[in-house]
């Protein structure tokens, strides 16, 4: 007893063969005694109704003792198979059984197996096959073909195994179906075995068998083997063979080779068919090969295939993929009978090319002309609505899907969720999610990413937990989406949990590892970010970019730039995102040399200096102290977007050109660009650092009343800073107490800093108390409060604040300054002796100080030393400040006339400011200092800040 199991579309079933009861011989087909010529003509015309009438006439016109011809049944069964008319085929089957008048049972049973297979009823095909009195090769071929047609390739291969076990010989028609089954499951081993059998039985000369072998090897990702088979074919006049190898190369993504073989085909003199042009046109969808599209189109026209629907649809898709929608539309208009494939190709083309309004109009036209949209049409339109943020259109499409009962379709439901997520309506997304009768991994991933992208990380986490309750399988896309939510929460412990799950399940790849690096960085856990980065075996540009970004976000710009040479060692080419990270690091460090290198790289490699690149370059040059170059980049940017304008306004503000910043802001408004919160923050910052109080008030007022923007806490902080710097402390205090939101710590910090500068003890006490109450774990706040007390000689209060800091384990960030000399950064801390040239630096500093005392009348201002020390010790402390060491090193190493550029992590003290002004005058040296607040350009004894910082 040999048993075969197959899985049909409805129920599993068994094929059981008993060798003792069935004869496995190949009997000749019995010729039907009657040739119903009229029925044959009717069947050839495809008229099923008339065919049934003709069959009925056959019964009524014949003597009851005379059996109706088998060929009559055969012809109608073939017609049912061609038209996939299952119910009519079942009627014929019932008639056959009822009439009991069949001459050749095996012949008609084979026809029935074939018919049921073509009509999608694998269960009935198996039942007929199982009940046959004997099997011949035609029956086996029909059953194998039925399995392949109904997407049961494993069933076809099991039938093949049973045939081999029964030693049943195969014919040329068996091989194509078996090879299709191998291709469907990518079973190269079975495919090779069947190839060997074809050689053994001498079928390799059969074009159908060889073409099937070519297709099998191609779909099993062994294209070289497919090409070797093709090249060994004796005669290549068969267009099907050429089509097979061209399709093989096109399907495997080897588009250039596919086009080369197409050229060989034309040179050989073989005329292409419709099935040649479809894969060839698909290869031209690649933008790099788009230039060849017109040439292929010309060949289509020349050979008269321009009326073929399949070819025209392929042309539409090809031009759409090459961003030539005008050409696609022209071809679409020439299609006489437009099916849904043609309409959907156009819709997809508009969406892929970002022409969302055109897509919506086209969809409306499609409905007006009576073409009923299907699920594919709806998915394209929902994608257009989501990407364009057109919520109203998306909701109308949702209503259309409900009306036409398409909303339960899995693909439509997933796209609806994505559309609502992109439009910021997670409540509607959730509604669709819970209405869906079946959810796959894409559904859950869409829900998680939708919540994460719309700042609902907790909901994203809860949805992720539901996946385990529902026993859904977690995939890599889900991991990526939930890590995004953890990034928003800034929760390192959650990232560690997910990281542990990834390690336990082995569910990780390079993308996940890169994401973990970035997310650990976002969560301020730079140690874990570094560890994950080190463990990545084969790093790509995203790996390095993720690590760079993590370093930059955590204030480790120097470490970020150290990765650039390592990328070059690994021969990893910089991409757009990597360049942005490097420029950000260069801006943080004021690393002008590295920034210029990147600018040169951009120009040499043809990158367009616009968008984020332009903004980063403006920022980099500004942060490196070269405002003129910032403006050059800004001025040369053709398509200036809002971030570029904002970067330039911020650059003016940072360098103390408040009026220029305000003028540029007004110019931006005149260009019909609508400023956002960041643009307003930049112009308010500029007003604050240039004492433009009235202008700042007007900007703040227009933000709320003209542009209807609610201020962020940062805007309030900027206003308090502006009023405080200008010594409008009472007004600043009233502003704080009347804010629409509860003041954050930064607001009180700005007020306290102004009270310190302008010696307002009363308001300062209130601000100090509020500051430490709101942010008790920030060491900088304690230092500021301590300095305020020290400036008033309240040393007991100073000691109390410092004791509190010590008790909390808080440490002050040491003041440090750095300078770029050559291609290296030299960092100095106050009284630093660690530099290898420390002796020369201090000797130079002593000489500079003596010269300034002697010629410039410099007198150390010891009031800026906020420690209870002797006067002599205070002078000593001032002389060792980090920026003075950096300036001395710059004078030692920089050629005369070259500006010295210093960066400091804290605010420059008043005495160092005076010292640097005198140095610029008496040593005839331009010095540019960037401190925590702004830029100071020292030249000829004058600072660009006007002593207002």
């Amino acid at each position: 007893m040999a048993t075969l199991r197959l899985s049909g579309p409805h129920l599993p079933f068994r094929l059981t063969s008993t060798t003792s009861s069935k004869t496995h011989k190949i009997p000749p087909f019995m010729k039907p005694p009657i040739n119903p010529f009229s029925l044959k003509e009717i069947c050839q015309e495809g008229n099923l109704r008339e065919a049934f009438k003709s069959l009925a006439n056959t019964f009524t016109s014949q003597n009851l003792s005379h059996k109706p011809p088998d060929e009559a049944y055969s012809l109608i069964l073939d017609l049912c198979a061609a038209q996939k008319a299952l119910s009519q085929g079942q009627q014929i089957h019932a008639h056959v059984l009822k009439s009991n008048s069949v001459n050749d049972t095996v012949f008609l049973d084979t026809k029935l197996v074939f018919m049921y297979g073509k009509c999608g009823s694998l269960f009935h095909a198996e039942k007929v096959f199982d009940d046959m009195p004997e099997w011949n090769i035609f029956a086996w071929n029909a059953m194998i073909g039925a399995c392949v047609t109904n997407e049961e390739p494993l069933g076809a291969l099991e039938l093949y195994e049973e045939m081999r076990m029964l030693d049943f010989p195969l014919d040329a028609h068996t091989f194509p179906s078996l090879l299709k089954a191998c291709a469907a499951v990518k079973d190269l081993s079975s495919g090779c075995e069947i190839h060997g059998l074809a050689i053994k039985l001498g079928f390799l000369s059969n074009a159908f068998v060889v073409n099937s072998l070519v297709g099998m090897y191609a779909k099993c990702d062994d294209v070289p083997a497919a090409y070797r088979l093709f090249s060994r074919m004796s005669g290549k006049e068969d267009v099907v063979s050429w089509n097979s190898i061209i399709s093989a190369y096109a399907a495997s993504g080897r588009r250039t080779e596919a086009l080369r073989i197409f050229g060989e085909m034309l040179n050989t003199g073989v005329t292409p068919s419709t099935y040649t042009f479809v894969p060839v046109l698909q290869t031209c969808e690649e933008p790099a090969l788009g230039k060849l599209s017109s040439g292929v189109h010309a060949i289509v026209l020349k050979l008269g295939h321009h009326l073929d629907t399949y070819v025209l649809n392929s042309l539409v898709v090809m031009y759409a993929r090459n961003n030539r929608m005008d050409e696609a539309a022209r071809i679409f208009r020439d299609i006489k009978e437009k099916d849904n494939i043609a309409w959907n190709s156009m819709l997809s083309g508009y969406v892929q090319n970002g022409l969302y309004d055109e897509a919506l109009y086209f969809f409306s036209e499609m409905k007006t002309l009576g073409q009923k949209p299907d699920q594919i049409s709806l998915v394209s339109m929902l994608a257009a609505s989501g990407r364009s943020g057109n919520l109203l259109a998306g909701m109308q499409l949702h209503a259309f899907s409900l009306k036409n009962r398409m909303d339960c379709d899995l693909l439509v439901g997933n796209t609806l969720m994505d559309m609502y997520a992109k439009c910021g309506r997670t409540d509607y997304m959730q509604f669709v999610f819970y209405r869906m009768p079946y959810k796959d991994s894409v559904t859950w991933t869409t829900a998680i990413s939708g919540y994460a992208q719309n700042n609902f990380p907790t909901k994203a986490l809860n949805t992720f937990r539901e996946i385990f309750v529902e026993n859904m399988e977690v995939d890599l896309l889900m991991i990526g989406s939930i890590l995004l939510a953890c990034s928003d929460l800034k929760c390192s412990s959650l990232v560690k949990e997910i990281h542990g799950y990834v390690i336990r399940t082995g569910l990780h790849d390079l993308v996940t590892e890169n994401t973990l690096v970035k997310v650990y960085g976002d969560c301020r856990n730079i140690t874990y970010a570094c560890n994950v980065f080190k463990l990545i075996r084969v790093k790509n540009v995203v790996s390095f970019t993720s690590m760079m970004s993590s370093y930059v976000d955590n204030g480790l710009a120097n470490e970020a730039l150290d990765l650039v040479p390592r990328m070059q060692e690994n021969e990893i080419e910089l991409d757009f995102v990597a360049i942005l990270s490097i420029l950000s690091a260069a801006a943080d460090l004021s690393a002008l040399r590295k920034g210029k290198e990147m600018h040169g790289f951009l120009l040499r490699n043809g990158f367009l200096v616009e968008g984020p690149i332009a903004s980063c370059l403006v920022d980099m040059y500004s942060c490196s102290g070269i405002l003129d170059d910032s403006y050059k980049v800004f001025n040369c940017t053709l398509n200036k977007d809002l971030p570029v304008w904002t970067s330039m306004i911020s650059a003016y503000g940072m360098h103390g050109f408040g009026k220029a910043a305000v003028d540029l802001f007004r110019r931006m408004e005149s260009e019909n660009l609508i400023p956002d919160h960041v643009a307003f923050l930049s112009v308010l910052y500029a007003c604050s650092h240039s004492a433009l109080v009235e202008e700042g008030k007007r900007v703040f007022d227009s933000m709320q009343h003209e542009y209807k923007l609610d201020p962020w806490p940062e805007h309030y902080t900027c206003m308090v800073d502006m009023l405080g710097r200008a010594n409008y402390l009472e007004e600043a205090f009233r502003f704080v107490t009347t804010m629409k939101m509860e003041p954050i710590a930064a607001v009180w910090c700005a007020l306290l800093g102004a009270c310190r500068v302008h010696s307002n003890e009363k308001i300062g006490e209130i601000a100090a108390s509020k500051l430490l109450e709101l942010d008790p774990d920030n060491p900088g706040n304690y230092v500021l409060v301590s300095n305020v007390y020290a400036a008033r000689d309240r040393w007991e209060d100073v000691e109390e604040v410092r004791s509190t800091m010590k008790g909390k384990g808080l440490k002050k960030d040491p003041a440090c300054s750095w300078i770029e000399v050559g291609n290296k950064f030299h960092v100095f801390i106050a009284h630093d002796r660690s530099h290898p040239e420390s002796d020369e630096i201090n000797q130079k500093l002593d000489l500079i100080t003596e010269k300034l005392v002697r010629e410039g009348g410099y007198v150390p201002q010891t009031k800026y030393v906020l420690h209870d020390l002797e006067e002599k010790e205070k002078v000593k402390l001032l002389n060792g400040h980090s920026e003075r060491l950096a300036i001395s090193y710059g004078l030692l190493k920089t050629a005369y006339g070259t500006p010295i550029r210093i960066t400091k992590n804290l605010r420059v003290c008043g005495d160092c400011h005076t010292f640097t002004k005198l140095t610029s005058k008496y040593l005839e040296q331009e010095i540019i200092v960037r401190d925590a607040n702004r830029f100071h350009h020292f030249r000829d004894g004058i600072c660009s800040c006007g002593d207002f910082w």
Side-chain angles (χ1 to χ4, degrees), residues 37 59 106 275 295 314 362 442 447 558 566 585 750 758 763 822 843:
F37 184 74
F59 280 98
V106 174
Y275 298 103
S314 297
F362 190 81
V442 176
N558 205 24
R566 288 180 58 186
H758 298 293
I763 297 176
Q843 287 172 13

Side-chain angles (χ1 to χ4, degrees), residues 346-347 350-351 355-364 380-381 384:
M346 282 297 294
L347 281 174
Y350 281 126
V351 176
L355 303 170
Y356 306 125
D357 291 339
E358 289 85 345
L360 290 167
Y361 176 80
F362 190 81
F363 182 73
S364 177
S380 291
M381 296 319 302

Side-chain angles (χ1 to χ4, degrees), residues 401-413:
S401 72
L402 290 166
K403 183 179 178 181
N404 291 275
R405 298 181 179 179
M406 293 184 188
D407 62 311
C408 292
D409 180 86
L410 183 61
L411 184 58
V412 171

Side-chain angles (χ1 to χ4, degrees), residues 45-78:
E45 291 174 1
N47 195 326
L48 192 57
R49 182 183 294 273
E50 289 299 321
F52 264 76
K53 287 181 181 179
S54 177
L55 183 65
N57 292 334
T58 302
F59 280 98
T60 57
S61 64
Q62 292 177 346
N63 190 309
L64 291 176
S65 64
H66 189 82
K67 294 182 180 180
D70 292 356
E71 190 173 351
Y73 287 129
S74 171
L75 288 169
I76 298 184
L77 286 172
D78 285 343

Side-chain angles (χ1 to χ4, degrees), residues 338-633:
K338 300 176 179 67
D339 57 9
N340 265 30
I341 294 173
W343 286 95
N344 290 340
S345 297
M346 282 297 294
L347 281 174
S348 177
Y350 281 126
V351 176
Q352 289 165 4
N353 289 286
L355 303 170
Y356 306 125
D357 291 339
E358 289 85 345
L360 290 167
Y361 176 80
F362 190 81
F363 182 73
S364 177
E365 184 183 4
M366 177 181 183
K367 292 190 294 180
T368 303
L369 293 174
Q371 186 74 29
K372 187 177 179 181
D374 59 11
Q375 284 89 338
I376 305 301
S377 318
L378 197 58
V379 164
S380 291
M381 296 319 302
L382 288 169
S385 303
R387 292 176 194 176
S388 62
N390 192 335
L391 178 61
L392 179 60
M395 293 178 73
Q396 290 173 343
L397 289 163
H398 190 182
F400 177 85
S401 72
L402 290 166
K403 183 179 178 181
N404 291 275
R405 298 181 179 179
M406 293 184 188
D407 62 311
C408 292
D409 180 86
L410 183 61
L411 184 58
V412 171
N414 288 342
T415 316
L416 271 169
M417 288 176 59
D418 183 63
M419 180 274 294
Y420 280 127
K422 283 184 168 64
C423 291
R425 293 307 301 261
T426 54
D427 51 344
Y428 292 167
M429 178 192 78
Q430 183 173 297
F431 171 79
V432 175
F433 177 76
Y434 285 114
R435 267 184 59 88
M436 291 176 68
Y438 173 72
K439 301 175 181 68
D440 65 357
S441 61
V442 176
T443 314
W444 289 93
T445 303
T446 304
I448 293 167
S449 62
Y451 284 129
Q453 289 165 7
N454 286 282
N455 299 316
F456 291 105
T458 305
K459 285 188 175 182
L461 282 168
N462 291 336
T463 306
F464 184 65
R465 292 189 179 104
E466 281 186 52
I467 291 172
F468 295 96
V469 175
E470 297 289 334
N471 291 320
M472 284 289 297
E473 187 175 342
V474 176
D475 61 19
L476 289 168
L477 287 174
M478 289 180 192
I479 296 296
S481 297
I482 199 62
L483 284 173
L484 176 63
C486 295
S487 177
D488 289 340
L489 287 169
K490 300 288 187 289
C491 184
S492 184
S493 60
L494 281 172
V495 182
K496 289 178 183 177
E497 283 183 33
I498 293 163
H499 190 182
Y501 175 81
V502 165
I503 292 171
R504 288 194 307 274
T505 57
L507 192 69
H508 61 87
D509 59 0
L510 183 58
V511 174
T512 307
E513 291 171 331
N514 292 340
T515 305
L516 280 165
V517 172
K518 182 69 174 68
V519 174
Y520 273 126
D522 292 340
C523 295
R524 304 294 181 191
N525 193 335
I526 197 68
T527 303
Y528 271 63
C530 289
N531 290 340
V532 175
F533 177 74
K534 288 174 185 174
L535 291 171
I536 299 174
R537 292 182 180 177
V538 182
K539 300 175 178 67
N540 62 4
V541 66
V542 181
S543 312
F544 280 94
T545 303
S546 299
M547 194 65 240
M548 277 185 204
S549 178
S550 295
Y551 276 136
V552 172
D553 293 344
N554 286 275
L556 300 169
N558 205 24
E559 286 81 352
L561 292 182
D562 287 343
L563 290 175
V564 178
R566 288 180 58 186
M567 289 182 74
Q568 294 168 341
E569 289 169 11
N570 287 274
E571 297 182 350
I572 294 174
E573 189 70 31
L574 297 175
D575 66 0
F576 180 85
V577 182
I579 291 166
L580 289 177
S581 295
I582 295 168
L583 287 172
S584 296
D588 282 359
L589 288 171
S590 300
L592 180 61
R593 182 185 293 269
K594 181 58 69 178
K596 282 187 170 181
E597 282 180 17
M598 286 299 101
H599 194 178
F601 177 86
L602 288 167
L603 296 175
R604 287 194 305 275
N605 289 276
F607 283 88
L608 289 175
V609 179
E610 58 183 29
I613 288 284
S615 299
C616 270
L617 281 170
V618 169
D619 192 47
M620 182 276 295
Y621 280 118
S622 169
C623 290
S624 299
I626 309 181
L627 192 61
D628 288 345
D629 284 358
S630 282
Y631 187 74
K632 284 177 185 176
V633 173

